[in-house]
């Protein structure tokens, strides 16, 4: 059942009495929107996977490292383009029929904070778009060119993503999950939970990986310094 906006148009968002004065219904289907999202993400993943098959200064990247680089490439696209669009146009999205605005109106069925320009989502998505987006592409470059700071970048980006995702879920938890149809298989479990929990699970794994890599590097430095001091 749809609710009515202040302008009299029907909207599908929760809570049901939500007022969205400028809302205009999408003219593109859910399948069109999701096909676009996953197709473009798939292209980024596939192209990056092919690029990472080449040798770098230390030899070929392992499967795990190649997957991590692919993750950063997809993150760069999602953060910079999709979340960047929200950051720039959040105030007109409800009534706008541009493709990316319709994507956000579709996603808002799982979290209506995006269609009402909730302060937290605007701030969080702006930080994500303009920091973690460019940093993700930078991380791809750093791993492909074997930069010594690559794991520092991985740690910074992953911590930022994890922090944003935890706040995203926790703020909605404190609101009683009122911005979605709780338990809905697509809007709640797929849009709201699954599509965001990825930014908790994967960054956690990458944080642990960064910890190990940086700790090993520091241990090597300490051992080298210790060996030099013994020669004196």
């Amino acid at each position: 059942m749809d609710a009515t906006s202040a302008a009299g148009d029907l909207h599908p968002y929760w809570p049901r009495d939500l007022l969205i004065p400028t809302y205009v219904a999408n003219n593109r289907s859910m399948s069109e929107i999701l096909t676009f999202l996953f197709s473009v993400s798939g292209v980024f993943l596939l192209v990056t996977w092919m690029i990472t098959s080449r040798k770098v200064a230390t030899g070929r990247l392992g499967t795990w490292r190649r997957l991590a680089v692919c993750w950063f490439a997809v993150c760069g696209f999602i953060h910079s383009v999709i979340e960047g669009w929200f950051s720039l146009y959040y105030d007109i999205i409800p009534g706008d029929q541009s493709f990316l605005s319709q994507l956000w109106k579709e996603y808002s069925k799982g979290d209506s904070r995006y269609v009402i320009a909730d302060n937290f989502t605007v701030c969080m998505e702006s930080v994500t778009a303009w920091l973690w987006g460019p940093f993700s592409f930078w991380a791809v470059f750093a791993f492909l060119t074997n930069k010594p700071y690559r794991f520092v970048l991985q740690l910074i980006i992953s911590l930022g993503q994890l922090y944003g995702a935890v706040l995203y879920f926790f703020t909605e938890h404190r609101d009683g999950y009122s911005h979605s149809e709780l338990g809905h298989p697509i809007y709640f479990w797929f849009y709201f939970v699954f599509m965001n929990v990825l930014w908790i699970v994967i960054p956690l794994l990458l944080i642990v990986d960064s910890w190990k890599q940086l700790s090993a590097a520091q241990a090597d430095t300490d051992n080298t310094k210790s060996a030099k001091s013994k020669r004196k």
Side-chain angles (χ1 to χ4, degrees):
M1 178 180 178
D2 291 328
T4 305
S5 71
D9 294 328
L10 296 177
H11 74 69
Y13 306 112
W14 288 71
R16 309 313 292 142
D17 57 355
L18 194 65
L19 296 179
I20 311 174
T22 60
Y23 174 73
V24 176
N26 281 353
N27 56 25
R28 292 185 181 272
S29 67
M30 176 179 70
S31 59
E32 286 182 89
I33 293 169
L34 293 182
T35 297
F36 164 81
L37 174 62
F38 291 114
S39 295
V40 177
S41 297
V43 168
F44 269 86
L45 194 153
L46 180 60
V47 170
T48 307
W49 181 260
M50 293 171 63
I51 292 173
T52 56
S53 66
R54 301 182 304 174
K55 284 187 178 180
V56 296
T58 55
R60 295 188 185 277
L61 297 174
T63 300
W64 158 254
R65 192 63 55 208
R66 292 175 68 189
L67 288 173
V69 176
C70 289
W71 163 256
F72 284 122
V74 173
C75 284
F77 160 65
I78 292 175
H79 294 336
S80 298
V81 178
I82 296 178
E83 291 168 289
W85 182 273
F86 177 81
S87 174
L88 292 173
Y89 302 111
Y90 62 86
D91 55 338
I92 66 168
I93 282 176
D96 186 45
Q97 293 295 73
S98 300
F99 190 89
L100 290 180
S101 291
Q102 292 197 48
L103 183 153
W104 279 111
K105 283 191 283 185
E106 175 63 28
Y107 175 76
S108 294
K109 294 174 183 177
D111 187 350
S112 65
R113 290 180 293 179
Y114 284 87
V115 84
I116 59 173
D118 170 78
N119 278 334
F120 168 75
T121 54
V122 171
C123 294
M124 183 267 294
E125 294 292 0
S126 296
V127 170
T128 300
W130 307 118
L131 277 182
W132 311 139
F135 272 43
S136 293
F137 285 128
W138 188 10
V140 172
F141 168 78
F143 276 102
L144 291 178
T145 54
N146 204 41
K147 297 298 182 184
Y149 55 76
R150 59 194 183 276
F151 288 104
V152 177
L153 265 182
Q154 176 174 293
L155 179 61
I156 293 171
I157 297 165
S158 300
L159 282 171
Q161 291 174 327
L162 177 63
Y163 182 65
V166 169
L167 287 181
Y168 176 75
F169 281 117
F170 193 42
T171 51
E172 181 61 7
H173 171 72
R174 286 184 56 81
D175 284 339
Y177 301 101
S178 61
H179 298 98
S180 181
E181 184 178 355
L182 187 63
H184 192 285
I186 296 176
Y187 303 140
F188 181 78
W189 287 112
F190 184 63
Y191 285 7
F192 176 70
V193 177
F194 175 74
M195 293 181 71
N196 290 286
V197 80
L198 292 175
W199 274 270
I200 289 180
V201 175
I202 298 177
L204 270 175
L205 294 174
L206 293 174
I207 288 169
V208 172
D209 178 53
S210 299
W211 179 289
K212 291 179 178 178
Q213 296 288 341
L214 295 173
S215 295
Q218 186 64 54
D220 287 343
T221 300
D222 293 343
N223 291 336
T224 301
K225 288 181 178 179
S226 178
K228 286 182 179 178
S229 66
K230 288 179 181 178
R231 294 194 198 106
K232 294 180 180 179

